[in-house]
Amino acid sequence: MSVEPEAGDPKAPRQHWDPERYARNARFVADLGQPVVELLAPQAGERILDLGGGDGALSEAIRAAGAEVLCVDASAEQIAAAKRRGLAAEVVDGEALAYEAEFDAVFSNAALHWMTRPERVIAGVRRALKPGGRFVGEFGGAGNVALICAALEAALDRRGGDGKAANPWFFPTPEDYGALLEAGGFRVRAAELIPRPTPLPGAMVDWLQTFAESFIKRLPEAEQGPYLEEVSAALAPDLRDAEGRWTADYVRLRFAADRVD
Ligand code: BEZ
């Protein structure tokens, strides 16, 4: 069976975002991000960078507090959706931020696990902050979607692929991420893992189609449907209840850190 290129290969499949599918299957991501906005505590008049802000749902919440927000994301489709909300928004690679001492705070929800070179992200965030500025966020931490990852990887291995190499996510422990922040010029105020089993609005296959393209797109089209069904069947005993409702095994890493000068 043929499998498309592995990660690290320039032809490795890239996750792409369809704002409508995202809104249908993943609106809960922003809904559950409200406590992170509270931890950020945006103040009127502050200038804040929303890193990996997607379609801008939480940028809007930050703007509602009176702050000036710039929403940045690697997805042109999501940034177009953020602009439709009337937000200032730019397509930017989070591993190559080029802002200089412009922001009072950098905020990020459910995005940093897509950026697998965290040293680059942290260096760019530090540069973007004014002296004393804060970096506050939440993303997938150690153990996040562990059952889902195991099922995706095992089913890809069975089709002749390399499941581990296809995994695009970075899910560190608070200790490891805290050490990266300290090494990158931050003082860590808080860093904790929060297990958060998360009910899904639809079926597991919908979640997989929304988030797991890195695995799916390695397979020829004709194999993608059977692959999704196989992963979903493997997960059902653990993640689907008697009424057919699905819950994803999310674990969040929530943190707050201050730029040291
Ligand atoms: C998360 O938000 O934890 C997540 C989203 C997509 C894929 C994996 C994890």
Side-chain angles (χ1 to χ4, degrees):
M1 258 175 249
S2 72
V3 171
E4 286 184 17
E6 303 296 350
D9 184 313
K11 288 194 217 115
R14 281 178 66 88
Q15 177 71 33
H16 108 282
W17 299 104
D18 168 351
E20 274 171 31
R21 188 170 67 183
Y22 189 84
R24 206 167 47 248
N25 297 316
R27 180 50 57 220
F28 65 88
V29 173
D31 293 346
L32 295 172
Q34 201 53 45
V36 198
V37 176
E38 282 159 28
L39 182 62
L40 172 71
Q43 305 296 310
E46 283 190 319
R47 181 157 160 74
I48 296 180
L49 180 69
D50 183 359
L51 172 57
D55 67 3
L58 289 177
S59 294
E60 262 190 345
I62 294 167
R63 183 175 62 177
E68 185 191 328
V69 189
L70 175 63
C71 176
V72 297
D73 200 280
S75 160
E77 294 89 347
Q78 292 283 63
I79 286 301
K83 286 184 175 166
R84 288 196 289 276
R85 293 177 189 267
L87 288 159
E90 289 175 1
V91 179
V92 163
D93 175 355
E95 295 181 351
L97 296 176
Y99 307 103
E100 293 275 349
E102 282 187 40
F103 296 96
D104 298 287
V106 176
F107 169 85
S108 187
N109 182 59
L112 296 172
H113 48 250
W114 294 101
M115 302 174 205
T116 53
R117 292 182 287 193
E119 295 89 350
R120 294 188 187 198
V121 177
I122 290 167
V125 168
R126 188 176 191 286
R127 254 192 326 271
L129 285 169
K130 298 176 187 170
R134 62 201 191 278
F135 183 22
V136 175
E138 185 177 294
F139 63 113
N144 191 43
V145 293
L147 293 169
I148 297 175
C149 287
L152 283 163
E153 290 173 13
L156 195 60
D157 288 347
R158 281 194 290 276
R159 287 174 154 72
D162 181 344
K164 282 250 173 295
N167 188 323
W169 301 310
F170 165 64
F171 298 141
T173 63
E175 293 73 24
D176 287 349
Y177 198 63
L180 287 168
L181 286 168
E182 302 267 351
F186 285 88
R187 182 174 307 111
V188 177
R189 254 188 287 141
E192 59 171 337
L193 275 189
I194 305 173
R196 195 185 64 206
T198 300
L200 298 181
M204 179 54 67
V205 164
D206 299 323
W207 188 95
L208 296 170
Q209 284 176 324
T210 305
F211 292 112
E213 277 187 359
S214 168
F215 296 89
I216 300 165
K217 291 281 170 71
R218 278 158 206 271
L219 294 166
E221 231 173 284
E223 281 184 49
Q224 294 177 5
Y227 172 69
L228 289 170
E229 289 308 325
E230 186 180 325
V231 172
S232 177
L235 291 169
D238 292 311
L239 299 181
R240 192 176 65 191
D241 71 12
E243 278 74 47
R245 290 179 299 237
W246 287 91
T247 297
D249 52 336
Y250 277 27
V251 177
R252 316 317 287 165
L253 197 172
R254 188 177 295 170
F255 69 92
D258 299 313
R259 176 178 150 154
V260 178
D261 291 289

